[in-house]
Amino acid sequence: QFWFPYLPLYAIAYMLGTCMIRVFIIGDVIAESRQEIRDAEKILELQQSVTALMDNLPGMSFSKDGETGVYLACNQGFTEYAGKESPDEVIGLTDFDIFDPKTAAHFVEDDKKALAMDKPYVFVEDVPDASGKPMRIQTTKLRFTDTQGRICVLGMCQDMTEQMILRQEAERSKEERVAYARINALIGDFLCMYIVDPVSGQYREYSKSKAFVRYALPESGDDFFGTAAEYAHRYVYPDDQH
């Protein structure tokens, strides 16, 4: 210390300098961490907003990463179709994680078609629902770029099964009315006529008279022969039933 009286000061200076550097480094790390937290909160808020938007869309809706096929968001309708309980269980999965290989490959092929188009890709197809029953779906898929610059696919599916059934019934009723008019022209006046599908047993009544109204016979149903036997035993005189 006699020859180097300032040596202790050097040690103190080094210590203070090191502390200052450490303070600056920790401050930068804290600032970066806070920024990452804010970014994560913004991403979470954006995901929640997208999910809320999709929940208000009719039918099933979802979005995927166009490159990886990973689901980014979906509504409850698609969640149930995928056999999950909440959208969080779907996000992060691919079609191959959710569906059987054939169905997943079909969905991926549709995504490729949508990504290659400059306009929405709209198509109608028959697919099974979550319980395996057939349903007719109109699907719209379109390409878009999200806030992170990713190419994504937005999908919206509308159940057209009920409209299909109504259309088929309207067509069947039209055919029956035509048949009714032709039979009427052939046999002239009659009290009541039933058109029956001999395979399924489905039937529909066409009548010119109100004579049978008091018996409350059903005008249509799924089992003509069973229904006819039931009402025959109910209203026909027992000796005439043989």
Side-chain angles (χ1 to χ4, degrees):
Q1 293 181 358
F2 179 77
W3 294 104
F4 300 101
Y6 298 109
L7 186 60
L9 298 179
Y10 295 156
I12 294 173
Y14 287 140
M15 182 183 66
L16 292 176
T18 303
C19 292
M20 292 296 294
I21 293 174
R22 180 179 177 82
V23 168
F24 290 138
I25 293 176
I26 292 177
D28 291 340
V29 171
I30 292 174
E32 291 178 359
S33 299
R34 288 176 177 172
Q35 185 61 40
E36 291 176 356
I37 292 174
R38 285 194 293 267
D39 293 341
E41 290 176 347
K42 289 181 180 179
I43 293 174
L44 179 60
E45 182 180 355
L46 179 60
Q47 290 178 341
Q48 291 174 343
S49 298
V50 172
T51 301
L53 173 63
M54 289 187 172
D55 282 337
N56 287 281
L57 293 176
M60 300 180 292
S61 57
F62 57 85
S63 64
K64 302 181 190 177
D65 187 312
E67 182 177 353
T68 64
V70 171
Y71 282 92
L72 304 175
C74 69
N75 68 351
Q76 189 62 32
F78 184 81
T79 298
E80 295 173 358
Y81 178 71
K84 306 296 183 180
E85 295 184 358
S86 69
D88 292 337
E89 297 181 21
V90 177
I91 296 173
L93 301 180
T94 67
D95 286 316
F96 289 96
D97 297 322
I98 301 173
F99 306 102
D100 62 86
K102 182 178 179 180
T103 302
H106 175 67
F107 290 162
V108 170
E109 187 63 27
D110 289 336
D111 292 344
K112 291 180 180 179
K113 293 179 182 179
L115 290 169
M117 299 175 64
D118 294 328
K119 59 181 181 179
Y121 175 42
V122 183
F123 56 95
V124 178
E125 60 183 346
D126 295 323
V127 298
D129 63 11
S131 62
K133 296 181 180 179
M135 61 188 301
R136 176 157 293 183
I137 294 292
Q138 176 177 298
T139 302
T140 301
K141 289 188 175 183
L142 57 92
R143 181 185 65 193
F144 74 98
T145 303
D146 68 3
T147 56
Q148 301 180 29
R150 293 179 298 189
I151 302 298
C152 302
V153 175
L154 174 65
M156 294 171 286
C157 305
Q158 187 68 32
D159 187 357
M160 306 293 291
T161 307
E162 184 176 353
Q163 290 89 328
M164 177 189 67
I165 294 174
L166 292 176
R167 188 180 300 112
Q168 291 175 346
E169 290 181 349
E171 293 175 354
R172 183 164 57 247
S173 297
K174 181 179 179 180
E175 293 174 355
E176 291 176 354
R177 286 195 297 271
V178 172
Y180 174 85
R182 290 176 178 174
I183 294 175
N184 185 32
L186 290 174
I187 68 175
D189 194 16
F190 57 87
L191 293 178
C192 183
M193 179 185 73
Y194 287 90
I195 297 180
V196 184
D197 185 334
V199 177
S200 66
Q202 292 182 339
Y203 66 92
R204 184 181 295 274
E205 173 194 321
Y206 293 92
S207 176
K208 287 184 175 181
S209 172
K210 300 298 183 180
F212 295 144
V213 172
R214 63 192 181 96
Y215 296 108
L217 299 175
E219 296 182 355
S220 62
D222 298 323
D223 184 11
F224 173 77
F225 302 102
T227 303
E230 176 187 350
Y231 278 85
H233 286 292
R234 185 181 304 177
Y235 296 114
V236 176
Y237 189 70
D239 292 342
D240 295 334
Q241 294 180 11
H242 304 288

